[in-house]
């Protein structure tokens, strides 16, 4: 008995809710009771195996029940998300940090969370008064959520990773459902979630998982009858989802634009062959893309203005080029189970592209990704790399989606009347029931094999388990500054200060983390010159009146010859090169600097005293150019002229002209 045609009985719907609730409760209980994740202790990996067995077993139960396609797909997606999230929770439970802790790339991501936990504005993580250069949505949401919930901003990095692990299959299923139907969508999210995952860059993982089905359905029109245009509501949803992708990791949109250009170039050929051109309406596409541009104005417009109004501005993040980017990514040729699955996905897409739009356009996106990668070789030679490494994840995701669609095709052939036809072609000894059993066992084996590595092979677990909060550093700096550090600019190479406190730095410690409009190289040149400066008065004038940032504090570690400052400079195409300078402690002996107690921070700390600005005593120099003290203006202008703010430059030039 059914409540309406095609709907499952009420008891089945209640049963589905029980399965969902039981899976959630069991996952929570298992992860809550899991012991601490320790290096070399296999207990927690065993817990992930239990979670995997739970997900696979519950999934098999769901598939044997006569649920509606929507209920079946939703439950499978939920179970996948629970396994990934639960397994990651167990593996990361030893510390509040995400993979790798708070060093390297995770340091600036942590700094972003700290800044957005402090302010609603889309600020840069490192440089004061500059807009965010990195797509801010993921970090902004986590930072603001942490502030609302009273959770330390830096802890939200791990929470975000766990949330992405759950959202990728669950939200992915919702987006794939209108593209390929609820059951196929479930197979696709299982394949893509287990074959492709990026625990270290979860926002890229999420952006890819949203981008592909969004692009196929809302831009290309897959899942809609040919020629059907988006309604007003569809356009709003399309713009909103596209803006989410752009503000999370806009790089993937470049691949979509290459795909769109190819489709636009072949519209006339499609008409000649009697096929409707795609997308059905270029006007709708223009509205969607234009809407995305408008919605994301708060991000890109301030960034564009800062870039265009800053002489010498240039991007630095794309200049970190590694040896692994040289080879064209061909993951489907790797000799392991994952490589075989991706190869199967490629074969499935090619085999069905002539009759299935989704396969055709997945191949189109795949071709666009490879084309962008090849273009990257040319831009590399032109000294402007385009960070093609980011296309690798999308390539793997597209192939995994193809594998999911191919697996769904095999199951349909085996479980419908076409299985007998397949047996007749393969051989009379093939029993359709044996084919079904073989596919079922094979699917379970593949899911188990991929699931075992999907979570347990999470990178940088050793570093995550060893990561600690820098109590001494943060407490010492906080007490030394009397808590007056919010929005302060600190001359330091200690990344933990800006990662865990809402402070900014005069210059980042890695050129490739620099804001395009920050003028990293000019700032580094100023610091290098200051390290050689022997006149404390000139030193104070040049630092206090640099044109880049008003420094509030100095926080450096004491070395053998003075106060050490280290950074990694751009060495494209060979990655980075290490540089270091040493400031004499005598440079901070003037009234412009107030020595602060280190309080166990391990740093030599100084407060910049603007009230003791040495330029104040030199204001009369243009009127009295022969004063002995005024000679410092000549040294300042000669050695630091290009680094000075307008006030200091104007005063020094008027003094020189009056001589």
């Amino acid at each position: 008995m059914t409540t309406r045609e095609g709907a499952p009985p009420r008891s089945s719907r209640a049963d589905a809710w029980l399965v969902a609730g039981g899976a959630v409760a069991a996952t929570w209980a298992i992860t809550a009771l899991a012991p601490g994740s320790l290096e070399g202790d296999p207990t927690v990996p065993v817990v992930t195996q239990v979670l995997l067995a739970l997900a696979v077993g519950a999934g098999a139960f769901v598939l044997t029940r006569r649920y509606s396609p929507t209920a079946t797909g939703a439950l499978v997606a939920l179970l996948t998300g629970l396994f990934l999230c639960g397994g990651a929770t167990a593996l990361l439970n030893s510390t509040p940090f995400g993979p790798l802790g708070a060093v390297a790339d995770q340091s600036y991501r942590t700094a972003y969370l700290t800044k957005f936990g402090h302010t609603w504005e889309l600020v840069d993580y490192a440089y004061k008064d500059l807009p965010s250069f990195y797509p801010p949505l993921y970090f902004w949401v986590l930072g603001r959520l942490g502030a609302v919930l009273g959770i330390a901003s830096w802890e939200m990095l791990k929470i975000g990773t766990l949330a992405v692990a759950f959202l990728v299959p669950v939200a992915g299923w919702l987006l794939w459902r209108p593209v390929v139907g609820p059951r196929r969508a479930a197979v696709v999210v299982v394949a893509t979630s287990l074959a492709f995952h990026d625990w270290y860059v979860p926002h890229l993982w999420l952006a890819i998982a949203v981008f592909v089905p969004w692009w196929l359905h809302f831009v290309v029109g897959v899942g809609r009858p040919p020629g059907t245009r988006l309604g007003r509501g569809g356009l709003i949803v399309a713009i909103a989802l596209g803006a989410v992708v752009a503000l999370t990791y806009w790089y993937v949109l470049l691949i979509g634009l290459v795909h769109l250009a190819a489709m636009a170039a072949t519209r006339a050929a499609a008409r000649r062959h009697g096929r409707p051109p795609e997308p059905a309406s270029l006007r709708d596409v223009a509205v969607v893309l234009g809407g995305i541009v408008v919605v994301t104005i708060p991000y890109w417009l301030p960034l564009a203005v800062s870039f265009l109004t800053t002489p010498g501005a240039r991007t630095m993040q794309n200049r970190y080029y590694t040896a692994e980017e040289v080879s064209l990514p061909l993951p489907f040729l790797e000799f392991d189970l994952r490589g075989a699955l991706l190869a199967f996905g490629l074969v499935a897409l090619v085999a069905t592209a002539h009759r299935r739009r989704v396969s055709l356009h997945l191949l189109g996106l795949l071709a666009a990704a490879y084309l962008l990668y090849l273009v990257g070789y040319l831009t590399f030679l032109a000294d402007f790399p385009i960070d093609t490494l980011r296309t690798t994840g999308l390539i793997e995701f597209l192939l995994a989606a193809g594998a999911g669609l191919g697996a769904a095709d095999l199951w349909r052939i085996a479980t419908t009347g076409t299985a007998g036809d397949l047996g007749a072609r393969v051989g009379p000894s093939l029993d359709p029931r044996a084919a079904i059993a073989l596919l079922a066992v094979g699917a379970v084996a593949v899911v188990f094999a991929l699931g075992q590595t999907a979570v347990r092979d999470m990178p940088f677990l050793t570093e995550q388990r060893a990561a600690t909060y820098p109590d001494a550093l943060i407490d010492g700096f906080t007490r030394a500054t009397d808590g007056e550090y919010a929005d302060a600019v600190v001359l330091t190479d200690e990344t933990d200060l800006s990662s865990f406190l809402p402070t900014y730095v005069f210059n980042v410690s890695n050129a490739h983390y620099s804001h395009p409009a920050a003028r990293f190289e000019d700032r580094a040149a100023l610091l290098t010159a200051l390290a050689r400066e022997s006149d404390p008065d000139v030193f104070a004038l040049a630092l206090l009146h640099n044109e880049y940032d008003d420094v509030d504090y100095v926080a450096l570690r004491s070395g053998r010859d003075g106060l050490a400052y280290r950074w990694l400079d751009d060495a494209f195409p060979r990655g980075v090169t290490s540089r270091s300078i040493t400031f004499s402690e005598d440079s901070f002996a003037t009234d412009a600097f107030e020595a602060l107690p280190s309080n166990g921070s391990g740093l030599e700390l100084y407060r910049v005293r603007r009230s003791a600005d040495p330029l104040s005593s030199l204001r009369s120099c243009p009127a009295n150019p022969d004063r002995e003290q005024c000679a410092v203006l000549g040294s300042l202008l000669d050695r630091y002229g290009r680094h000075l703010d307008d006030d200091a430059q104007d005063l020094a030039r008027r003094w020189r002209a009056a001589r």
Side-chain angles (χ1 to χ4, degrees), residues 615-642:
L615 199 68
S616 300
S617 63
L618 303 175
R619 297 291 181 186
S620 62
C621 285
N624 303 283
D626 294 330
R627 284 175 52 202
E628 182 179 353
Q629 298 94 325
C630 295
V632 71
L633 290 174
S635 300
L636 179 68
L637 191 61
D638 291 340
R639 297 202 283 269
Y640 302 97
R642 70 186 183 96

PDB file of all heavy atoms in Angstrom, residues 615-642:
ATOM      1  N   LEU A 615      60.988  63.314  14.379  1.00  0.00           N
ATOM      2  CA  LEU A 615      60.741  64.299  13.324  1.00  0.00           C
ATOM      3  C   LEU A 615      60.159  65.585  13.888  1.00  0.00           C
ATOM      4  O   LEU A 615      60.314  66.662  13.281  1.00  0.00           O
ATOM      5  CB  LEU A 615      59.792  63.706  12.274  1.00  0.00           C
ATOM      6  CG  LEU A 615      59.785  64.396  10.907  1.00  0.00           C
ATOM      7  CD1 LEU A 615      61.111  64.160  10.191  1.00  0.00           C
ATOM      8  CD2 LEU A 615      58.634  63.882  10.048  1.00  0.00           C
ATOM      9  N   SER A 616      59.512  65.497  15.040  1.00  0.00           N
ATOM     10  CA  SER A 616      58.885  66.689  15.637  1.00  0.00           C
ATOM     11  C   SER A 616      59.920  67.766  15.940  1.00  0.00           C
ATOM     12  O   SER A 616      59.648  68.966  15.776  1.00  0.00           O
ATOM     13  CB  SER A 616      58.148  66.304  16.924  1.00  0.00           C
ATOM     14  OG  SER A 616      57.142  65.346  16.656  1.00  0.00           O
ATOM     15  N   SER A 617      61.093  67.345  16.398  1.00  0.00           N
ATOM     16  CA  SER A 617      62.133  68.323  16.745  1.00  0.00           C
ATOM     17  C   SER A 617      62.845  68.878  15.526  1.00  0.00           C
ATOM     18  O   SER A 617      63.702  69.762  15.662  1.00  0.00           O
ATOM     19  CB  SER A 617      63.158  67.681  17.684  1.00  0.00           C
ATOM     20  OG  SER A 617      63.828  66.606  17.032  1.00  0.00           O
ATOM     21  N   LEU A 618      62.503  68.372  14.342  1.00  0.00           N
ATOM     22  CA  LEU A 618      63.170  68.819  13.113  1.00  0.00           C
ATOM     23  C   LEU A 618      62.259  69.666  12.236  1.00  0.00           C
ATOM     24  O   LEU A 618      62.628  70.011  11.114  1.00  0.00           O
ATOM     25  CB  LEU A 618      63.655  67.598  12.321  1.00  0.00           C
ATOM     26  CG  LEU A 618      64.604  66.646  13.059  1.00  0.00           C
ATOM     27  CD1 LEU A 618      64.894  65.416  12.199  1.00  0.00           C
ATOM     28  CD2 LEU A 618      65.902  67.350  13.422  1.00  0.00           C
ATOM     29  N   ARG A 619      61.067  70.003  12.716  1.00  0.00           N
ATOM     30  CA  ARG A 619      60.111  70.751  11.903  1.00  0.00           C
ATOM     31  C   ARG A 619      60.638  72.121  11.496  1.00  0.00           C
ATOM     32  O   ARG A 619      60.286  72.643  10.431  1.00  0.00           O
ATOM     33  CB  ARG A 619      58.794  70.928  12.675  1.00  0.00           C
ATOM     34  CG  ARG A 619      58.071  69.639  13.005  1.00  0.00           C
ATOM     35  CD  ARG A 619      57.509  68.989  11.771  1.00  0.00           C
ATOM     36  NE  ARG A 619      56.795  67.754  12.076  1.00  0.00           N
ATOM     37  CZ  ARG A 619      56.306  66.942  11.156  1.00  0.00           C
ATOM     38  NH1 ARG A 619      56.461  67.223   9.871  1.00  0.00           N
ATOM     39  NH2 ARG A 619      55.685  65.830  11.515  1.00  0.00           N
ATOM     40  N   SER A 620      61.493  72.698  12.322  1.00  0.00           N
ATOM     41  CA  SER A 620      62.000  74.047  12.018  1.00  0.00           C
ATOM     42  C   SER A 620      63.223  74.030  11.119  1.00  0.00           C
ATOM     43  O   SER A 620      63.784  75.094  10.823  1.00  0.00           O
ATOM     44  CB  SER A 620      62.337  74.778  13.328  1.00  0.00           C
ATOM     45  OG  SER A 620      63.373  74.089  14.020  1.00  0.00           O
ATOM     46  N   CYS A 621      63.660  72.869  10.688  1.00  0.00           N
ATOM     47  CA  CYS A 621      64.896  72.789   9.899  1.00  0.00           C
ATOM     48  C   CYS A 621      64.845  73.560   8.579  1.00  0.00           C
ATOM     49  O   CYS A 621      65.857  74.175   8.193  1.00  0.00           O
ATOM     50  CB  CYS A 621      65.246  71.327   9.652  1.00  0.00           C
ATOM     51  SG  CYS A 621      65.920  70.507  11.128  1.00  0.00           S
ATOM     52  N   PRO A 622      63.741  73.569   7.837  1.00  0.00           N
ATOM     53  CA  PRO A 622      63.739  74.382   6.610  1.00  0.00           C
ATOM     54  C   PRO A 622      63.964  75.867   6.897  1.00  0.00           C
ATOM     55  O   PRO A 622      64.554  76.582   6.074  1.00  0.00           O
ATOM     56  CB  PRO A 622      62.337  74.127   6.038  1.00  0.00           C
ATOM     57  CG  PRO A 622      61.977  72.775   6.543  1.00  0.00           C
ATOM     58  CD  PRO A 622      62.544  72.728   7.926  1.00  0.00           C
ATOM     59  N   ALA A 623      63.509  76.340   8.074  1.00  0.00           N
ATOM     60  CA  ALA A 623      63.724  77.739   8.427  1.00  0.00           C
ATOM     61  C   ALA A 623      65.099  77.963   9.040  1.00  0.00           C
ATOM     62  O   ALA A 623      65.641  79.079   8.977  1.00  0.00           O
ATOM     63  CB  ALA A 623      62.638  78.201   9.409  1.00  0.00           C
ATOM     64  N   ASN A 624      65.675  76.934   9.634  1.00  0.00           N
ATOM     65  CA  ASN A 624      66.997  77.029  10.250  1.00  0.00           C
ATOM     66  C   ASN A 624      67.863  75.875   9.747  1.00  0.00           C
ATOM     67  O   ASN A 624      68.187  74.942  10.501  1.00  0.00           O
ATOM     68  CB  ASN A 624      66.890  76.981  11.773  1.00  0.00           C
ATOM     69  CG  ASN A 624      66.004  78.070  12.335  1.00  0.00           C
ATOM     70  OD1 ASN A 624      66.424  79.228  12.429  1.00  0.00           O
ATOM     71  ND2 ASN A 624      64.776  77.708  12.706  1.00  0.00           N
ATOM     72  N   PRO A 625      68.207  75.898   8.480  1.00  0.00           N
ATOM     73  CA  PRO A 625      68.872  74.736   7.871  1.00  0.00           C
ATOM     74  C   PRO A 625      70.269  74.458   8.422  1.00  0.00           C
ATOM     75  O   PRO A 625      70.788  73.361   8.227  1.00  0.00           O
ATOM     76  CB  PRO A 625      68.943  75.112   6.387  1.00  0.00           C
ATOM     77  CG  PRO A 625      68.890  76.604   6.368  1.00  0.00           C
ATOM     78  CD  PRO A 625      68.022  77.003   7.512  1.00  0.00           C
ATOM     79  N   ASP A 626      70.875  75.420   9.124  1.00  0.00           N
ATOM     80  CA  ASP A 626      72.240  75.210   9.594  1.00  0.00           C
ATOM     81  C   ASP A 626      72.307  74.569  10.976  1.00  0.00           C
ATOM     82  O   ASP A 626      73.405  74.331  11.489  1.00  0.00           O
ATOM     83  CB  ASP A 626      72.990  76.556   9.621  1.00  0.00           C
ATOM     84  CG  ASP A 626      73.167  77.114   8.223  1.00  0.00           C
ATOM     85  OD1 ASP A 626      73.261  76.294   7.280  1.00  0.00           O
ATOM     86  OD2 ASP A 626      73.172  78.349   8.072  1.00  0.00           O
ATOM     87  N   ARG A 627      71.164  74.284  11.572  1.00  0.00           N
ATOM     88  CA  ARG A 627      71.185  73.602  12.860  1.00  0.00           C
ATOM     89  C   ARG A 627      71.895  72.257  12.721  1.00  0.00           C
ATOM     90  O   ARG A 627      71.684  71.518  11.757  1.00  0.00           O
ATOM     91  CB  ARG A 627      69.762  73.371  13.374  1.00  0.00           C
ATOM     92  CG  ARG A 627      69.082  74.589  13.944  1.00  0.00           C
ATOM     93  CD  ARG A 627      67.638  74.253  14.313  1.00  0.00           C
ATOM     94  NE  ARG A 627      67.573  73.074  15.159  1.00  0.00           N
ATOM     95  CZ  ARG A 627      66.483  72.323  15.278  1.00  0.00           C
ATOM     96  NH1 ARG A 627      65.390  72.614  14.583  1.00  0.00           N
ATOM     97  NH2 ARG A 627      66.501  71.267  16.091  1.00  0.00           N
ATOM     98  N   GLU A 628      72.716  71.934  13.703  1.00  0.00           N
ATOM     99  CA  GLU A 628      73.499  70.704  13.627  1.00  0.00           C
ATOM    100  C   GLU A 628      72.611  69.460  13.556  1.00  0.00           C
ATOM    101  O   GLU A 628      72.898  68.510  12.830  1.00  0.00           O
ATOM    102  CB  GLU A 628      74.424  70.619  14.841  1.00  0.00           C
ATOM    103  CG  GLU A 628      75.318  69.392  14.832  1.00  0.00           C
ATOM    104  CD  GLU A 628      76.234  69.346  16.040  1.00  0.00           C
ATOM    105  OE1 GLU A 628      76.265  70.335  16.798  1.00  0.00           O
ATOM    106  OE2 GLU A 628      76.900  68.305  16.226  1.00  0.00           O
ATOM    107  N   GLN A 629      71.493  69.475  14.313  1.00  0.00           N
ATOM    108  CA  GLN A 629      70.618  68.300  14.350  1.00  0.00           C
ATOM    109  C   GLN A 629      69.949  68.022  13.012  1.00  0.00           C
ATOM    110  O   GLN A 629      69.500  66.907  12.751  1.00  0.00           O
ATOM    111  CB  GLN A 629      69.531  68.494  15.421  1.00  0.00           C
ATOM    112  CG  GLN A 629      70.083  68.629  16.820  1.00  0.00           C
ATOM    113  CD  GLN A 629      70.278  70.107  17.187  1.00  0.00           C
ATOM    114  OE1 GLN A 629      70.625  70.930  16.322  1.00  0.00           O
ATOM    115  NE2 GLN A 629      70.071  70.416  18.467  1.00  0.00           N
ATOM    116  N   CYS A 630      69.869  69.065  12.156  1.00  0.00           N
ATOM    117  CA  CYS A 630      69.135  68.911  10.900  1.00  0.00           C
ATOM    118  C   CYS A 630      69.887  68.061   9.882  1.00  0.00           C
ATOM    119  O   CYS A 630      69.292  67.594   8.903  1.00  0.00           O
ATOM    120  CB  CYS A 630      68.840  70.282  10.292  1.00  0.00           C
ATOM    121  SG  CYS A 630      67.718  71.289  11.302  1.00  0.00           S
ATOM    122  N   ALA A 631      71.170  67.854  10.093  1.00  0.00           N
ATOM    123  CA  ALA A 631      71.952  67.067   9.130  1.00  0.00           C
ATOM    124  C   ALA A 631      71.414  65.649   8.983  1.00  0.00           C
ATOM    125  O   ALA A 631      71.619  64.993   7.951  1.00  0.00           O
ATOM    126  CB  ALA A 631      73.414  67.042   9.560  1.00  0.00           C
ATOM    127  N   VAL A 632      70.697  65.171   9.995  1.00  0.00           N
ATOM    128  CA  VAL A 632      70.148  63.817   9.924  1.00  0.00           C
ATOM    129  C   VAL A 632      69.147  63.681   8.783  1.00  0.00           C
ATOM    130  O   VAL A 632      68.954  62.589   8.230  1.00  0.00           O
ATOM    131  CB  VAL A 632      69.503  63.445  11.281  1.00  0.00           C
ATOM    132  CG1 VAL A 632      68.208  64.226  11.503  1.00  0.00           C
ATOM    133  CG2 VAL A 632      69.229  61.963  11.366  1.00  0.00           C
ATOM    134  N   LEU A 633      68.523  64.800   8.401  1.00  0.00           N
ATOM    135  CA  LEU A 633      67.552  64.751   7.304  1.00  0.00           C
ATOM    136  C   LEU A 633      68.228  64.408   5.982  1.00  0.00           C
ATOM    137  O   LEU A 633      67.641  63.744   5.126  1.00  0.00           O
ATOM    138  CB  LEU A 633      66.814  66.090   7.195  1.00  0.00           C
ATOM    139  CG  LEU A 633      65.843  66.404   8.334  1.00  0.00           C
ATOM    140  CD1 LEU A 633      65.292  67.830   8.182  1.00  0.00           C
ATOM    141  CD2 LEU A 633      64.702  65.401   8.348  1.00  0.00           C
ATOM    142  N   GLY A 634      69.457  64.864   5.814  1.00  0.00           N
ATOM    143  CA  GLY A 634      70.179  64.529   4.588  1.00  0.00           C
ATOM    144  C   GLY A 634      70.465  63.044   4.505  1.00  0.00           C
ATOM    145  O   GLY A 634      70.272  62.411   3.460  1.00  0.00           O
ATOM    146  N   SER A 635      70.954  62.478   5.602  1.00  0.00           N
ATOM    147  CA  SER A 635      71.218  61.033   5.626  1.00  0.00           C
ATOM    148  C   SER A 635      69.929  60.250   5.415  1.00  0.00           C
ATOM    149  O   SER A 635      69.909  59.228   4.710  1.00  0.00           O
ATOM    150  CB  SER A 635      71.853  60.642   6.960  1.00  0.00           C
ATOM    151  OG  SER A 635      73.070  61.328   7.168  1.00  0.00           O
ATOM    152  N   LEU A 636      68.853  60.719   6.029  1.00  0.00           N
ATOM    153  CA  LEU A 636      67.563  60.038   5.879  1.00  0.00           C
ATOM    154  C   LEU A 636      67.107  60.046   4.428  1.00  0.00           C
ATOM    155  O   LEU A 636      66.687  59.005   3.893  1.00  0.00           O
ATOM    156  CB  LEU A 636      66.526  60.737   6.767  1.00  0.00           C
ATOM    157  CG  LEU A 636      65.104  60.169   6.729  1.00  0.00           C
ATOM    158  CD1 LEU A 636      65.067  58.788   7.359  1.00  0.00           C
ATOM    159  CD2 LEU A 636      64.135  61.116   7.452  1.00  0.00           C
ATOM    160  N   LEU A 637      67.207  61.187   3.777  1.00  0.00           N
ATOM    161  CA  LEU A 637      66.745  61.292   2.394  1.00  0.00           C
ATOM    162  C   LEU A 637      67.636  60.501   1.449  1.00  0.00           C
ATOM    163  O   LEU A 637      67.135  59.837   0.522  1.00  0.00           O
ATOM    164  CB  LEU A 637      66.710  62.767   1.981  1.00  0.00           C
ATOM    165  CG  LEU A 637      66.003  63.086   0.662  1.00  0.00           C
ATOM    166  CD1 LEU A 637      64.538  62.674   0.713  1.00  0.00           C
ATOM    167  CD2 LEU A 637      66.121  64.583   0.357  1.00  0.00           C
ATOM    168  N   ASP A 638      68.928  60.527   1.663  1.00  0.00           N
ATOM    169  CA  ASP A 638      69.850  59.834   0.766  1.00  0.00           C
ATOM    170  C   ASP A 638      69.696  58.315   0.849  1.00  0.00           C
ATOM    171  O   ASP A 638      69.733  57.618  -0.169  1.00  0.00           O
ATOM    172  CB  ASP A 638      71.295  60.219   1.103  1.00  0.00           C
ATOM    173  CG  ASP A 638      71.600  61.658   0.748  1.00  0.00           C
ATOM    174  OD1 ASP A 638      70.854  62.223  -0.073  1.00  0.00           O
ATOM    175  OD2 ASP A 638      72.561  62.215   1.314  1.00  0.00           O
ATOM    176  N   ARG A 639      69.533  57.808   2.065  1.00  0.00           N
ATOM    177  CA  ARG A 639      69.535  56.358   2.242  1.00  0.00           C
ATOM    178  C   ARG A 639      68.141  55.728   2.199  1.00  0.00           C
ATOM    179  O   ARG A 639      68.009  54.534   1.893  1.00  0.00           O
ATOM    180  CB  ARG A 639      70.219  55.995   3.568  1.00  0.00           C
ATOM    181  CG  ARG A 639      71.693  56.403   3.590  1.00  0.00           C
ATOM    182  CD  ARG A 639      72.481  55.618   4.606  1.00  0.00           C
ATOM    183  NE  ARG A 639      72.281  56.051   5.965  1.00  0.00           N
ATOM    184  CZ  ARG A 639      73.034  56.987   6.585  1.00  0.00           C
ATOM    185  NH1 ARG A 639      74.019  57.590   5.906  1.00  0.00           N
ATOM    186  NH2 ARG A 639      72.811  57.306   7.850  1.00  0.00           N
ATOM    187  N   TYR A 640      67.110  56.519   2.480  1.00  0.00           N
ATOM    188  CA  TYR A 640      65.763  55.929   2.587  1.00  0.00           C
ATOM    189  C   TYR A 640      64.701  56.717   1.828  1.00  0.00           C
ATOM    190  O   TYR A 640      63.502  56.510   2.057  1.00  0.00           O
ATOM    191  CB  TYR A 640      65.356  55.837   4.066  1.00  0.00           C
ATOM    192  CG  TYR A 640      66.306  55.026   4.892  1.00  0.00           C
ATOM    193  CD1 TYR A 640      67.311  55.634   5.646  1.00  0.00           C
ATOM    194  CD2 TYR A 640      66.226  53.635   4.908  1.00  0.00           C
ATOM    195  CE1 TYR A 640      68.205  54.890   6.399  1.00  0.00           C
ATOM    196  CE2 TYR A 640      67.116  52.879   5.660  1.00  0.00           C
ATOM    197  CZ  TYR A 640      68.095  53.515   6.400  1.00  0.00           C
ATOM    198  OH  TYR A 640      68.977  52.768   7.135  1.00  0.00           O
ATOM    199  N   GLY A 641      65.112  57.573   0.939  1.00  0.00           N
ATOM    200  CA  GLY A 641      64.167  58.461   0.271  1.00  0.00           C
ATOM    201  C   GLY A 641      62.958  57.753  -0.334  1.00  0.00           C
ATOM    202  O   GLY A 641      61.817  58.171  -0.146  1.00  0.00           O
ATOM    203  N   ARG A 642      63.201  56.652  -1.022  1.00  0.00           N
ATOM    204  CA  ARG A 642      62.089  55.982  -1.709  1.00  0.00           C
ATOM    205  C   ARG A 642      61.169  55.231  -0.760  1.00  0.00           C
ATOM    206  O   ARG A 642      60.079  54.806  -1.156  1.00  0.00           O
ATOM    207  CB  ARG A 642      62.619  55.033  -2.769  1.00  0.00           C
ATOM    208  CG  ARG A 642      63.320  53.777  -2.256  1.00  0.00           C
ATOM    209  CD  ARG A 642      63.921  53.005  -3.412  1.00  0.00           C
ATOM    210  NE  ARG A 642      64.556  51.756  -2.997  1.00  0.00           N
ATOM    211  CZ  ARG A 642      63.962  50.561  -3.038  1.00  0.00           C
ATOM    212  NH1 ARG A 642      62.708  50.472  -3.466  1.00  0.00           N
ATOM    213  NH2 ARG A 642      64.612  49.471  -2.665  1.00  0.00           N
TER     214      ARG A 642
END
